[in-house]
Every structure is written in structure tokens, then in C-alpha cells.
Amino acid sequence: MKYCTKCGAKHPDDAMFCANCGNPFAKENQPLLQESKRDYVETECEDYLQSNGHKAVDLGLSVLWSTCEVGATVFSGIGLKFAWGDETRKTITSKWSNAWFAPPRSSNICGSSHDMARYQWGSPWRLPTREEFAELVQNCEWDFVDYKGQSFVKFTGPNGNFIMMRSCIMLWIGDNAEGDYVSAFHLDVDKEICGDVSLYYNVDTHCYVRAVIGK
């Protein structure tokens, strides 16, 4: 095991980033991005189930992960952006006003009426928690790949199944909202950023959603 020099969190020896604070570990322990990229042949994991017309993959973790973002139909597609807790996207599709839109008071909206994934895709889909994102980062094998000119990260779970994620993306986390701040998962391999970040709550702050299904 090794420990993050920034926050002290414990990680496996082959971890590339701290899942708690996003701090990258020493470069000598990481494959160079330029050397690890390759053309991607497989388009998606063949071992999946469907719920409400959307695909979920069991990676051998505590939840099943969707194969694409909410609003997209394939992993290489670009999904919809949401403000945190704005399940109808009113802050994007209408002229918003702080007078009529207020963030949810709960620090955890996973599965609630304000859950953007639940509203868009229906039950049992929901937003992932901070711990579930950390589990994805810590327990999966990473592979940086190119597909049709785009850069992706392939997360392969302990059971060999995998999902694809765009290599530069900000995704909403369903819990850990504290006062005027909410949590998001930031993946940017070019800048060596991976982990949750705290964002000041504003209805102009929009991120994507990657949905999960609890086991």
C-alpha cells in the first residue's frame, strides 16, 4: 500500500491518482499517457443488462455502471448537462432565476426527486456517490485509448468487464453537498487530474451525469 503525500489517503501500490483529493502519484509509477494510448477496437462490453432501455455493466463493484452519459446513447456520445439537483434542466432550457430555483437542501440526492439520473432514466437508475466513484478509480484497471479521434479511459473491473469514459469530463456526484458547495468527479488525464472536486453552487455550473444501479 502507499499513501497520498497531499492528504494521507491509503491506496494500492498500482494506483495512479489519489481518489480522495485527485493528487497524482509519482510519475515513475505511472505509464506515460503518450505511450499507453492505442487505437481502440472493441466498442463496448458485451456483458451488460438493460434497464429502461439503457445499458448497465457489472464491473464486479458495489454498483452497476451505465455504458454512457445520461442523454447519450453510446459511450462516445456527449450527454446532457445539468445543474446539481435540477432534474428537469430548467436552468439550461429556460431563463433561470434564483427566485424560482433553489438547490436541494439534502446533502444526498441519490434516488430522490432531485436526482437527475433517476428523473431522466427512471428507477433503478440514480446518481453515483463519492464512495462509488472512488471505488471505480481504485479498484479498476486503467487503459488510455483513442477511438475515432477521441481520447477515452477504459475502466476494467475485477471481473474483466469494462466501461469507457471520456478522458476529460466533469460528472456530478450525488452526495457530499455542504452548504454552498457540491461535489463533482473530475477526470482529465492530460492534466493528471482524477478525483472529486468541490464546486461553489451556482445554477450556471453545469456538469454531465453518469448513472449507476445499486445491487
Side-chain angles (χ1 to χ4, degrees):
M1 304 297 288
K2 61 184 175 182
Y3 296 84
C4 177
T5 57
K6 184 176 180 181
C7 70
K10 183 169 66 174
H11 295 80
D13 289 333
D14 58 353
M16 299 172 58
F17 302 89
C18 175
N20 183 54
C21 69
N23 182 45
F25 293 123
K27 285 184 176 296
E28 57 268 22
N29 296 327
Q30 302 178 33
L32 294 176
L33 179 61
Q34 292 80 2
E35 294 178 357
S36 60
K37 278 191 173 182
R38 59 178 175 76
D39 289 334
Y40 188 62
V41 178
E42 300 168 279
T43 55
E44 64 178 17
C45 181
E46 296 182 355
D47 185 12
Y48 64 85
L49 60 84
Q50 283 198 338
S51 181
N52 303 336
H54 306 287
K55 296 177 181 178
V57 175
D58 184 354
L59 300 172
L61 306 176
S62 63
V63 294
L64 281 64
W65 284 84
S66 59
T67 59
C68 61
E69 299 157 26
V70 171
T73 57
V74 294
F75 76 86
S76 56
I78 298 177
L80 298 172
K81 280 191 171 182
F82 300 82
W84 196 82
D86 179 14
E87 72 282 357
T88 66
R89 300 182 72 244
K90 190 174 183 179
T91 56
I92 295 180
T93 58
S94 304
K95 185 176 180 180
W96 67 267
S97 167
N98 278 319
W100 56 255
F101 182 79
R105 294 184 180 275
S106 172
S107 63
N108 188 338
I109 62 172
C110 294
S112 76
S113 60
H114 289 288
D115 186 319
M116 299 86 83
R118 175 66 56 89
Y119 182 89
Q120 295 289 325
W121 283 5
S123 180
W125 292 103
R126 63 168 173 81
L127 286 164
T129 66
R130 181 185 182 186
E131 289 184 351
E132 288 159 355
F133 267 115
E135 180 186 43
L136 179 72
V137 171
Q138 294 174 2
N139 295 356
C140 289
E141 178 184 339
W142 293 45
D143 190 13
F144 303 105
V145 297
D146 286 332
Y147 179 73
K148 295 185 177 180
Q150 298 183 68
S151 181
F152 295 88
V153 176
K154 177 182 178 182
F155 290 95
T156 303
N159 62 5
N161 289 339
F162 65 90
I163 61 169
M164 301 287 292
M165 193 175 291
R166 284 187 284 145
S167 63
C168 181
I169 193 170
M170 189 87 78
L171 298 157
W172 282 125
I173 294 174
D175 63 355
N176 280 30
E178 297 181 6
D180 293 331
Y181 293 86
V182 290
S183 295
F185 175 77
H186 191 190
L187 177 64
D188 188 337
V189 296
D190 291 327
K191 296 181 179 179
E192 297 185 342
I193 298 172
C194 176
D196 61 283
V197 294
S198 185
L199 303 175
Y200 181 75
Y201 183 84
N202 189 306
V203 292
D204 278 337
T205 302
H206 303 138
C207 296
Y208 299 98
V209 170
R210 194 74 174 231
V212 297
I213 296 176
K215 289 185 177 180

